Amino acid sequence: MAKTGTTTQGLRTAIERSGYYPALVAEAVEAAVGGEPIASYLVHQETTFDSNEVRRHVTVLVLTAHRFIVSHTDEQAADTSSATPYATTSTESVKLDRISSVVVSRVVANPESYTPGTLPREVVLTIGWGAVARIDLEPAACGDPNCEADHGYTGNSTADDLSLRVSEAGDGPDTVQQTLVFAQSLSEATAAAPSSTGR
């Protein structure tokens, strides 16, 4: 389930509708937002199955004029560290000029007959700001199949701080649309944000 909008009350309502520890999630998000007006938000709840346990996770993304705020809340069953079930919630505040990439991947059915404006079947929103990077390395080679020289390694580094996947089948068409709306708002905001390096 995902909800998007532009007001503090709308954000609180969307969190409450998710039904996932709304008092806990709302308090954490509202503390991170502070008094800043909200430009856009997205609330996404995800349910996963781990062996014979059902786990829920909620992600709240908030855009203000100067910051991108991301909140994650997870529930955990009782374990050796806690005799009772518990939830963990975290928030991170990122200045817009630190966001290095906003990637929107769309999956469309029957691309040969695609009509502009048709919703994708699936959307993956990936946002990078340099907190987490993945490095993929592999041995380098030359074009000579008989060469036995060591050419070192080649690879790439990918910023992958947040990746959110929504699908029409699993989340509904409204969620796909709302994710695209939030992604566009964030992309426009990062393009307009002044660079902290003065470039």
Side-chain angles (χ1 to χ4, degrees), residues 31-49:
V33 171
E36 280 192 81
I38 294 171
S40 187
Y41 64 81
L42 179 66
V43 177
H44 181 256
Q45 182 182 317
E46 183 177 18
T47 302
T48 57
F49 300 93

Side-chain angles (χ1 to χ4, degrees), residues 88-157:
T88 304
T89 188
S90 63
T91 58
E92 183 172 1
S93 175
V94 181
K95 289 186 176 181
L96 289 178
D97 63 3
R98 283 194 47 219
I99 294 179
S100 57
S101 65
V102 178
V103 180
V104 180
S105 300
R106 303 167 189 238
V107 177
V108 298
N110 303 313
E112 68 282 354
S113 59
Y114 176 77
T115 303
T118 303
L119 279 180
R121 172 171 83 187
E122 180 179 309
V123 171
V124 178
L125 172 61
T126 305
I127 304 165
W129 57 90
V132 177
R134 184 179 68 246
I135 299 176
D136 296 318
L137 293 176
E138 61 184 36
C142 67
D144 181 357
N146 298 318
C147 180
E148 295 181 6
D150 183 355
H151 294 285
Y153 289 89
T154 185
N156 57 47
S157 174

Side-chain angles (χ1 to χ4, degrees), residues 10-23 25-26 29 43 60:
L11 173 59
R12 180 174 270 280
T13 300
I15 290 171
E16 288 171 357
R17 280 189 189 148
S18 79
Y20 184 82
Y21 306 124
V25 174
V29 171
V43 177
V60 180

Side-chain angles (χ1 to χ4, degrees), residues 168-187:
E168 186 177 24
D171 302 290
D174 288 346
T175 300
V176 173
Q177 178 65 45
Q178 292 161 353
T179 303
L180 291 172
V181 168
F182 182 84
Q184 182 173 344
S185 297
L186 180 61
S187 189

Side-chain angles (χ1 to χ4, degrees), residues 48-115:
T48 57
F49 300 93
D50 182 13
S51 297
N52 52 356
E53 291 183 18
V54 177
R55 294 184 187 269
R56 295 181 299 166
H57 175 91
V58 69
T59 302
V60 180
L61 308 179
V62 179
L63 176 63
T64 71
H66 305 287
R67 295 183 298 148
F68 166 67
I69 297 159
V70 59
S71 172
H72 295 287
T73 304
D74 291 286
E75 64 182 354
Q76 305 291 331
D79 57 23
T80 56
S81 66
S82 175
T84 60
Y86 60 98
T88 304
T89 188
S90 63
T91 58
E92 183 172 1
S93 175
V94 181
K95 289 186 176 181
L96 289 178
D97 63 3
R98 283 194 47 219
I99 294 179
S100 57
S101 65
V102 178
V103 180
V104 180
S105 300
R106 303 167 189 238
V107 177
V108 298
N110 303 313
E112 68 282 354
S113 59
Y114 176 77
T115 303

